[in-house]
Structures are given as C-alpha cells and as structure tokens.
Amino acid sequence: MELLTKKSLNSLFLPGGVILLGSILLLDTKWIALSQSGVTFFYYAAFVAAGLLAWRFHSTRILFSVVVLLIGHHAVQFYAQRGAGLGLVAFEAIALLIPLNFAFLTFFTERGDEGRTLLWFLILLFFESVFVAAAARPEQPAPSFLHFAFIRSYHSHLPQPAILMFAASLCLLLVRFVQFHRAIDSGMFWSLIMAWLGFQAGATGKPGTAYFGAAALALAGSIIENTYSLAYNDELTGLHSRRSFNDASFRLKPPYAVAVVDIDHFKSINDNYGHDTGDQVLRLVASKLARVGGGGEAFRVGGCD
C-alpha cells in the first residue's frame, strides 16, 4: 500500500507524531517542571497560531476544528467550576461530542460556499450547546447513554461511549489520509489523539490544558505541512513538483542520470475523453514512476504537451 512508502509515512507522522511524542515526554515523565502560567501561555499561543494560520490559508476544516477544541475545553472548565456533578455530566457529553465533530468536519469541503458551510457549523454548535446545557441541568439525572458500560470489567477516566467515538473518528481520519494523503487529515488525527489524552488527564489542570494546547499546535503544524506539500509536491499526481526538481538538481553530484518521460498523444486523450480521464491517466503513469528504485526520485516538471 502507498501508506507504507517513506513519503506517506513522513506525511503521516510529521509534525503531529513529533508533537505528540514531545507532549508525552514533557507531561508524563515530568522532566521539566511546568508552571501554570507557562502552560496557560502555551495553550493560548497554540490556539491563536492555529486559528490565524487556518484563517490566512482558508482552511475551513482546521479553523472549525480549532473552534470545536477551544469551546469544548472551556465548556468543561466552566461546568467543572459549577460543581462536581454538573462537571462530570458535561465532561462525558463533551468528550462524546468533540470526536463526533471531528468526524463531521472530515466531510466538510476546504473550498466552496464558505457562508453556507459556516451556517451549518454554527447550527451544529448551537444544538450541541443546548444538548450539553440540558444534560447538565442541576437536580436532573445524567443521560444514561453518556456513561453506558459496554464492558463491565473495563474502567477508564473516559466513559466507554466517548472512547468508542474517539476510536471511530480516528479510524475515519486514518482512512481519509490513506485515500487522499492530505496533511490536514493527518493533523486532525494527531490533534484528536492529544484531545483524548487531555480528557484522560481530566481536561482541567495543567496536564489537561497542556494536551489541549498540543492538540491546537498539531492543527497549526498541519497547515504549515500542507503549505509545504503544495509548494513542493504536485497536487494532482502526488509526485515532487518543479520546485523540488530545481532544488534537487542543485544537489546532484556525478555520476547521475536524468530520464524524461512524456505521454504520447496526451492532448488527444483530453480532447476525445475529457480532462477527467486525462487526469486519471496522469495519476496512473505517476503511480508507476513513483516506484523508481535505486535512490531515484520522480518529479512532475510539466509545461510540455
């Protein structure tokens, strides 16, 4: 599978996997004593950076993911201050809704009618806010489905319905990455894992806040990785682009060989069968060229018919 290629693995694990590893090393091993003010500064800096980058590069899915994490985390903190009972119900509800939102956002388009997309997103947040407020009303039993135990002998800080929703959403994001190899799917995948760890740490306090900040940082990193990918990789074929070819040509040392591949009568394919078919032909040829061995690399230089 293409997922197992070096390029795909780099795209999957960088930078989200590195951020996750660094977060675990800092928070779980306690190598560095983190002050509350330092964690708070990191938290807001990560969210501001992720929001600004998503807005600047018109990444609707990342911007909405940032909003979901920020609102969800602050809602958990708000209800926790109102009492342990209300805080627990809100914790269970929001832990279920955040991965559900990430699953919904997986199908949101990055481009298109932004006003309509924003409207649907705001409607979704409104109904979810009403649900959390209704579930966490004082002197009312919590909805049983929020903490239903599918496996009686299994105990975790997170209720089992939320764990299942996290697992399902993570699987969906991983499948989307395998299909499309987009840095945004990878960033959302690692961000959701860190949100999971944040809930496992209780969501509030230094560890929980730090993990949510790291989740926002993973989203910010995915924007940077996606921008790099667009600059150095051809979006249609997935091969390295002309800019990558120019950079690689400066690093060449003899002996080396350069082979140029052209598709005969490619214009007639577009004219007779349409550009969609022509794109499929390009992707098919590119998938074969990408398998070059012996340390070779394939590039799509373009510009010639």
Side-chain angles (χ1 to χ4, degrees), residues 7 57 68 136 167 177 188 216 230 263 283 292-293:
K7 181 179 176 181
F57 290 97
V68 164
F177 176 81
M188 291 178 66
L230 291 175
I263 302 175
R283 283 192 286 264
V292 61

Side-chain angles (χ1 to χ4, degrees), residues 27 32-40 201 203-212:
L27 296 172
I32 300 177
L34 301 176
S35 65
Q36 183 61 54
S37 59
V39 169
T40 302
T204 58
K206 288 193 294 184
T209 300
Y211 272 121
F212 271 90

Side-chain angles (χ1 to χ4, degrees), residues 57-72:
F57 290 97
H58 306 285
S59 181
T60 304
R61 289 173 57 197
I62 294 298
L63 181 60
F64 289 171
S65 299
V66 171
V67 173
V68 164
L69 287 176
L70 185 62
I71 292 178

Side-chain angles (χ1 to χ4, degrees), residues 59 110 182-184 221-231:
S59 181
E110 283 294 290
R182 293 172 181 164
I184 289 176
S222 72
I223 294 288
I224 299 173
E225 181 66 21
N226 188 61
T227 304
Y228 172 86
S229 178
L230 291 175

Side-chain angles (χ1 to χ4, degrees), residues 180 229-230 233-239 266 270 275-284 286-287 300:
F180 304 107
S229 178
L230 291 175
N233 295 286
D234 179 63
E235 188 174 12
L236 175 62
T237 62
L239 297 178
F266 182 69
N270 285 329
H275 288 277
D276 289 340
T277 302
D279 289 346
Q280 293 178 13
V281 171
L282 285 175
R283 283 192 286 264
L284 176 62
S287 67
R300 187 189 179 194

Side-chain angles (χ1 to χ4, degrees), residues 127-193:
F127 281 106
E128 290 178 344
S129 300
V130 171
F131 167 72
V132 173
R137 283 185 300 176
E139 300 179 359
Q140 174 181 292
S144 59
F145 70 87
L146 291 178
H147 51 261
F148 182 81
F150 300 96
I151 304 175
R152 299 294 179 180
S153 59
Y154 180 79
H155 300 284
S156 171
H157 198 85
L158 267 176
Q160 292 183 29
I163 292 176
L164 289 177
M165 186 59 67
F166 267 102
S169 299
L170 288 170
C171 289
L172 176 61
L173 286 166
L174 190 58
V175 168
R176 295 279 292 186
F177 176 81
V178 172
Q179 288 179 324
F180 304 107
H181 300 282
R182 293 172 181 164
I184 289 176
D185 292 317
S186 172
M188 291 178 66
F189 174 82
W190 293 109
S191 177
L192 194 57
I193 289 180

